[in-house]
Amino acid sequence: MPDHTAPDATPTGRLSRRSLLAASAGAAAAIGAAGLPVLATGTPALANPGNASKLRVEPLIPARNRGIILYSVRDRITAAPDDSGVPYGFERVLARLAEIGYKEIEFAGYTQSTEILGRQITPAEIRKILDDNGLVANGTHASIQPATFQQQLDIAEELGMKNIGTGSDPTSSAYKAEWDAAADIWNELGRQARARGMRLYTHNHDAAYSFLIDRGPRDAQGRQTRSSGIRRLEYFFEITDPRYVFFELDIYWAYVARYKHQKYVNPAGQEVTDLFDPILTVADRTTRFPLFHAKDGDRDTSVPNGYQMTPLGDGDLNFQQFFQTIGERNFHHANWEMDTAPGGADNKGQSLDFAATSYRNMSDLTIYVEK
């Protein structure tokens, strides 16, 4: 069971041209079969005035838990001073993000142009900027290595983080032995993080939800060549200590995994189709996911990933269904991300404009609760 004594583990045009409530019948059936709440495709409770009087509307993602990873606006964090009028560097960019409404910041590095201060900024100076703007550091994508982990914890502590993580998988291998070895390392590093009041987390791309190679005949190198059907990161869930190892689901990459990784060869040599459901993989262990990347995408089967990244609310991913079904809305923190947000020299303000659009659309996600 998840450890509720971990730091902060307290369970408890606008949004898209697509209907957020248009959950597919197949998805609804799967969720219902798993014994989880199924999001309706309309608002029947409000159709009856007697029911409506017993309900109130609340944000699905509380304002205090709406964040952004600075990778989305990396072009402006790292920009040298210019006369474009677009904010640059930590001081100006973080002030703009706070003005938009964001309350939390996930870091993707701690450096800016040395032209701003005549030297590199320090973590202590970044912390002051956060505090001055009412912002909280909720995580980071750092390099998680045993040799430098205490140094990374020092920086995270200086910035006031309760979570420390990485944008990389614990291993890029498809083989069980490498995931077993990674689990040993992560359990120990997670123990060190917990001792300093933090959670250690890993962030997925699509390959993390491809199938583990752990069965069948061996190749010339002695490696097995077939699969039991378990997915790599889902195996990692089971072999890591839930007190020490946590996860940040990138919702976009999870749906890319659903599109790309559907088939495996079983121990008997037969091809098996198995659809991955991002909602169900979280709902079964929801408090192991303190953080999410709320990244949207347009469905496009002409590209290898099956989706093109968009600002939140402009794509096809059903964030309403996702966050409502996984529950624990006061526990989860959603960080907006769009890898392709920077507009380059021709549109220096694009990433911050997309940040504003995405914040408005994240704020529009609501839930009906009993008074």
Side-chain angles (χ1 to χ4, degrees), residues 32-52:
L36 297 165
V38 179
L39 182 65
T41 56
T43 53
L46 294 187
N48 182 336
N51 287 343

Side-chain angles (χ1 to χ4, degrees), residues 68-75 77 106-108 141 337-342:
I68 178 174
I69 181 168
L70 295 183
Y71 186 72
S72 302
V73 293
R74 62 193 179 279
D75 58 322
I77 291 289
E106 184 179 24
F107 284 84
H141 281 194
E337 184 182 37
M338 182 178 171
D339 303 14
T340 56

Side-chain angles (χ1 to χ4, degrees), residues 21-344:
L21 299 177
S24 71
I31 293 168
L36 297 165
V38 179
L39 182 65
T41 56
T43 53
L46 294 187
N48 182 336
N51 287 343
S53 66
K54 299 177 182 179
L55 300 173
R56 68 175 183 273
V57 177
E58 290 187 358
L60 185 54
I61 301 170
R64 65 183 178 277
N65 291 356
R66 297 176 204 152
I68 178 174
I69 181 168
L70 295 183
Y71 186 72
S72 302
V73 293
R74 62 193 179 279
D75 58 322
R76 300 314 303 169
I77 291 289
T78 59
D82 60 42
D83 58 3
S84 67
V86 181
Y88 58 85
F90 281 107
E91 183 174 13
R92 292 165 179 81
V93 172
L94 293 185
R96 174 61 184 139
L97 295 174
E99 181 181 54
I100 288 169
Y102 289 103
K103 298 298 184 186
E104 297 195 325
I105 300 295
E106 184 179 24
F107 284 84
Y110 308 116
T111 60
Q112 64 180 15
S113 171
T114 55
E115 294 181 39
I116 297 173
L117 297 176
R119 58 173 173 78
Q120 193 48 257
I121 195 168
T122 67
E125 289 169 329
I126 297 174
R127 174 62 185 270
K128 184 176 187 306
I129 294 169
L130 290 170
D131 292 346
D132 288 348
N133 287 282
L135 295 169
V136 174
N138 71 11
T140 183
H141 281 194
S143 175
I144 302 299
Q145 301 292 337
T148 58
F149 192 57
Q150 286 298 319
Q151 179 184 0
Q152 292 295 335
L153 287 172
D154 289 342
I155 296 171
E157 189 171 50
E158 180 85 64
L159 293 170
M161 291 179 194
K162 292 186 178 178
N163 306 285
I164 180 170
T166 177
S168 303
D169 294 327
T171 173
S172 59
S173 174
Y175 299 101
K176 181 175 177 291
E178 282 81 1
W179 284 91
D180 289 338
D184 290 340
I185 294 169
W186 276 68
N187 280 331
E188 173 54 31
L189 296 183
R191 187 177 294 108
Q192 293 177 28
R194 182 183 171 89
R196 293 181 62 171
M198 285 175 258
R199 302 185 193 91
L200 174 64
Y201 68 92
T202 182
H203 165 279
N204 66 280
H205 292 90
D206 69 277
Y209 288 109
S210 61
F211 296 99
L212 194 69
I213 304 301
D214 61 343
R215 294 289 189 277
R218 297 182 183 272
D219 62 16
Q221 287 74 46
R223 300 174 303 188
Q224 292 174 302
T225 55
R226 295 174 186 170
S227 179
S228 63
I230 190 170
R231 296 175 187 270
R232 300 180 193 183
L233 202 58
E234 293 187 330
Y235 177 65
F236 199 66
F237 295 155
E238 302 307 318
I239 62 173
T240 51
D241 193 320
R243 295 173 298 173
Y244 305 135
V245 180
F246 295 85
F247 303 90
E248 175 182 65
L249 187 85
D250 186 303
I251 299 170
Y252 171 90
W253 287 116
Y255 278 94
V256 170
R258 178 179 174 87
Y259 174 76
K260 288 175 64 176
H261 305 299
Q262 298 186 6
K263 298 180 185 296
Y264 67 93
V265 177
N266 72 10
Q270 301 164 324
E271 186 176 78
V272 177
T273 298
D274 179 78
L275 293 182
F276 172 62
D277 193 312
I279 293 176
L280 296 183
T281 200
V282 173
D284 194 41
R285 51 185 70 82
T286 190
T287 53
R288 289 194 81 179
F289 288 85
L291 301 175
F292 293 85
H293 274 186
K295 182 190 299 178
D296 207 348
D298 249 337
R299 185 63 182 263
D300 182 354
T301 56
S302 71
V303 298
N305 287 333
Y307 292 88
Q308 299 274 16
M309 292 182 194
T310 69
L312 194 152
D314 285 352
D316 290 311
L317 300 186
N318 193 329
F319 292 97
Q320 178 77 34
Q321 183 190 41
F322 183 91
F323 283 109
Q324 185 164 335
T325 305
I326 64 170
E328 303 287 9
R329 63 192 175 95
N330 290 311
F331 172 72
H332 296 130
H333 300 253
N335 293 324
W336 173 67
E337 184 182 37
M338 182 178 171
D339 303 14
T340 56

